[in-house]
Structure formats: structure tokens, C-alpha cells
């Protein structure tokens, strides 16, 4: 079958993407370093006046109901956690991409941001059940970026999106990712991976983006993280927070059991906790 998506045009669209600000990139690098401390994040925020203002605005959002206004970054960070700073930085640097309507997935404006934010929170909740040590904020960050490739892929995909659904309905392909591969010759994970490389993101995040639907293919050193996001993504879709027509059209790789001790009760708890945090985070970030 001839490929209907112009891979060269996708490559050019990625090349044209503006880079992340040096501070935002540094923040992602710090988060990806397992030995980092909260102090390192605080230092980056304090160095960046725009980020400082945004963080203070979020922590003083009525959603959190704090009685006294928070004016220090140290206090704001200990209250919000590193993950909210990451959310703000990603929103500031990739907000336009994350808020585009996803026509190729029949997703309305904001659907990608909602799905990524919910997946981020759910991935972090999953990571709390890890059998070994786990960096929860890195799981969150991976979840937040995992589907970034859809923002560009969607534009090239909209002509054939219907064919993908028919392929799945007719059982010609096993899941949505295979439909993308079959019709386009590449899929949203590869596009996202190339975007992350263009942005020079830490390798762990590049790997999460590339392997999130096939975590077993990730290198060993990053597999637990990729599995956390793989599950967080599915939980997000199960909770109805998908990006449109591809919702729940992917396989669950049960290999996660090697890394996480998840009973059915734990899964229910993850969904509940994620829903609660999601509504707060979403509101505080939009105000
Ligand atoms: Fe995906
Ligand atoms: Fe996803």
C-alpha cells in the first residue's frame, strides 16, 4: 500500500518547531537526574522571573484555598511539588502544540493537554506502587510528554483517520498504532521521539515517548519508567480522558507486573486519586 503521509513534510514541521527555553530544558534535565534535589528545582525557578510569577500565581489559585498568600518560591514548591513546576514549564514552552485541536484523532481543542496531564498524574500514581525505588516526578514528566507527537502527526493524519478506524473494525490491524504504521509508514510515537530529539530532551524522556505503547522494546535501564507511563496512559483512557477516536485502541502490556505491585484495588485507587488531583491541577493551571 502506498504511504499517504508525507514523511519529509513531517520532518520539516519538526525542524521548524521553536526550541524550549534554556531554563525549561534545564528543568527537564534536572528532573531526569535521579540524584536531584528539590533545591535544584528551586534554583532554576528563582533564576527565571517569568516562571517565578507563574508558579506563585498557580499556588495562590483559589483551587488550593490557602489562607495566606504565598510569596516565596521555597514555600510554593514545597506545597505544589516539582510536578506542577514541570507542568507550568511544559505549558509555557509547548502549550500551543498541546492545545491544538487534534483533527486527525477527532479530538477537540484541549483534548491532548487534558489527556497528557491526566496521564502524567496517573503515571505518577502507578509509580507509587513500584517494587523498587522510583522517581515519581520523572514518571509524571514522562506522562505529560508521552503523546506530544500527536500534535504534529494529527495534521498529516486527518485525511486517513477514518481508514484507520475501518482497519481496526475489520480486524486488519491489531491496534491504532499499527494502523498508523500501516497507512502512514510511521506513527505518533516516532514523531514525538523526533520532536524530543529536536528539543534535546533527556534520553529517558525521549525513550518514554518512543516506547510508550511497546514498553518491552525500551532498553532495560528505562523500562520501569516506560511501563509506568504505559499504564498511566491506559488508566487515563479508561477514565474517559482520551484524545478522541484512538481512545482505548491500544494494547496493554502486562509485563508491568514485573515492576509494579498492582492489585485491582490499587488500580481503582489510582483512578480515584488521579481524578481528584487532575481536576485541581487543571483548574489551577488554567486560571
Ligand atoms: Fe500514544
Ligand atoms: Fe496517550
Amino acid at each position: 500500500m502506498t504511504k499517504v503521509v508525507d514523511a519529509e513534510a513531517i520532518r520539516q514541521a519538526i525542524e521548524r518547531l521553536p526550541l524550549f527555553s534554556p531554563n525549561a530544558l534545564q528543568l527537564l534535565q534536572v528532573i531526569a537526574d535521579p540524584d536531584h534535589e528539590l533545591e535544584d528545582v528551586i534554583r532554576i525557578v528563582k533564576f527565571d522571573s517569568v516562571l517565578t510569577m507563574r508558579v506563585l500565581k498557580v499556588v495562590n489559585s483559589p483551587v488550593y484555598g490557602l489562607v495566606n498568600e504565598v510569596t516565596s518560591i521555597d514555600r510554593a514548591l514545597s506545597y505544589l511539588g516539582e510536578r506542577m513546576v514541570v507542568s507550568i514549564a511544559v505549558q509555557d514552552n509547548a502549550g500551543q502544540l498541546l492545545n491544538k485541536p487534534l483533527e486527525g484523532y477527532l479530538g477537540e481543542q484541549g483534548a491532548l493537554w487534558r489527556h497528557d496531564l491526566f496521564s502524567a498524574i496517573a503515571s505518577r500514581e502507578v509509580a507509587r506502587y513500584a517494587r523498587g525505588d522510583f522517581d515519581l516526578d520523572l514518571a509524571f514528566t514522562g506522562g505529560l510528554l508521552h503523546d506530544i507527537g500527536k500534535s504534529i502527526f494529527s495534521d498529516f493524519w486527518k485525511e486517513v483517520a477514518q481508514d484507520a478506524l475501518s482497519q481496526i473494525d475489520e480486524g486488519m490491524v491489531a491496534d491504532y498504532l499499527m494502523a498508523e504504521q500501516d497507512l502512514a509508514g510511521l506513527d505518533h510515537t516516532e514523531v514525538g521521539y523526533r520532536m524530543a530529539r529536536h528539543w534535546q530532551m533527556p534520553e529517558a524522556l525521549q525513550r518514554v515517548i518512543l516506547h510508550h505503547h511497546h514498553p518491552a522494546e525500551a532498553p532495560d535501564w528505562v523500562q520501569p519508567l516506560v511501563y509506568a507511563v504505559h499504564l498511566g496512559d491506559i488508566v487515563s483512557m479508561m477514565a474517559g480522558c482520551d484524545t478522541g477516536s484512538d481512545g482505548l485502541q491500544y494494547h496493554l502490556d502486562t509485563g508491568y507486573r514485573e515492576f509494579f505491585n498492582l492489585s485491582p484495588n490499587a488500580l481503582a485507587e489510582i483512578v480515584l486519586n488521579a481524578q481528584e488531583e487532575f481536576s485541581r491541577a487543571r483548574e489551577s493551571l488554567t486560571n
Side-chain angles (χ1 to χ4, degrees), residues 117-160:
L117 184 61
F118 198 111
S119 303
I121 293 166
S123 303
R124 186 175 179 278
E125 287 295 317
V126 167
R128 290 173 54 208
Y129 293 87
R131 296 186 193 275
D133 282 348
F134 214 103
D135 190 327
L136 303 186
D137 290 302
L138 187 54
F140 179 95
T141 309
L144 196 62
L145 292 164
H146 79 281
D147 267 341
I148 191 74
K150 284 182 182 173
S151 61
I152 289 202
F153 189 71
S154 167
D155 294 340
F156 294 88
W157 179 243
K158 53 190 171 200
E159 317 290 303
V160 277

Side-chain angles (χ1 to χ4, degrees), residues 4-7 10 13-14 97 100-105 112 147-161 164 176-192 194-195 246 250:
V4 287
V5 171
D6 184 349
I10 292 185
I14 295 170
L97 289 169
K100 273 171 52 181
L102 286 184
E103 288 174 66
Y105 295 87
L112 181 57
D147 267 341
I148 191 74
K150 284 182 182 173
S151 61
I152 289 202
F153 189 71
S154 167
D155 294 340
F156 294 88
W157 179 243
K158 53 190 171 200
E159 317 290 303
V160 277
Y176 202 92
L177 203 71
M178 280 184 73
E180 290 183 353
Q181 276 286 355
D182 196 45
L183 289 163
L186 81 175
D187 61 56
H188 72 272
T189 65
E190 279 178 55
V191 174
R194 292 187 205 170
M195 291 164 77
D246 66 330
Y250 300 96

Side-chain angles (χ1 to χ4, degrees), residues 20-206:
F20 270 45
S21 75
N23 280 334
L25 194 57
Q26 203 193 347
L27 178 67
L28 295 179
Q29 276 154 357
V30 161
I31 294 287
D33 172 1
D35 296 326
H36 81 274
E37 286 168 14
L38 183 62
E39 278 304 310
D40 304 319
V41 175
I42 290 175
R43 217 171 301 126
I44 294 172
V45 178
K46 282 185 173 168
F47 192 72
D48 184 326
S49 56
V50 178
L51 196 51
T52 295
M53 264 169 41
R54 292 266 285 125
V55 167
L56 292 178
K57 194 169 171 217
V58 168
V59 75
N60 289 306
S61 146
V63 187
Y64 296 112
L66 299 179
V67 182
N68 297 316
E69 189 184 349
V70 176
T71 52
S72 98
I73 285 298
D74 300 67
R75 266 203 67 208
L77 265 277
S78 61
Y79 187 78
L80 291 175
E82 296 175 353
R83 60 193 184 282
M84 287 303 284
V85 180
V86 171
S87 304
I88 293 166
V90 167
Q91 203 181 33
D92 283 354
N93 285 269
Q96 273 191 339
L97 289 169
L98 289 163
N99 272 309
K100 273 171 52 181
L102 286 184
E103 288 174 66
Y105 295 87
L106 311 177
E108 75 222 23
Q109 181 160 21
L112 181 57
W113 171 246
R114 279 197 299 280
H115 171 67
D116 281 350
L117 184 61
F118 198 111
S119 303
I121 293 166
S123 303
R124 186 175 179 278
E125 287 295 317
V126 167
R128 290 173 54 208
Y129 293 87
R131 296 186 193 275
D133 282 348
F134 214 103
D135 190 327
L136 303 186
D137 290 302
L138 187 54
F140 179 95
T141 309
L144 196 62
L145 292 164
H146 79 281
D147 267 341
I148 191 74
K150 284 182 182 173
S151 61
I152 289 202
F153 189 71
S154 167
D155 294 340
F156 294 88
W157 179 243
K158 53 190 171 200
E159 317 290 303
V160 277
Q162 205 50 51
D163 299 346
L165 292 176
S166 322
Q167 276 205 358
I168 295 170
D169 279 351
E170 290 161 21
M172 288 162 66
V173 289
D175 68 0
Y176 202 92
L177 203 71
M178 280 184 73
E180 290 183 353
Q181 276 286 355
D182 196 45
L183 289 163
L186 81 175
D187 61 56
H188 72 272
T189 65
E190 279 178 55
V191 174
Y193 174 66
R194 292 187 205 170
M195 291 164 77
R197 286 181 65 85
H198 170 76
W199 284 324
Q200 300 182 319
M201 284 190 175
E203 168 125 31
L205 294 173
Q206 295 182 17

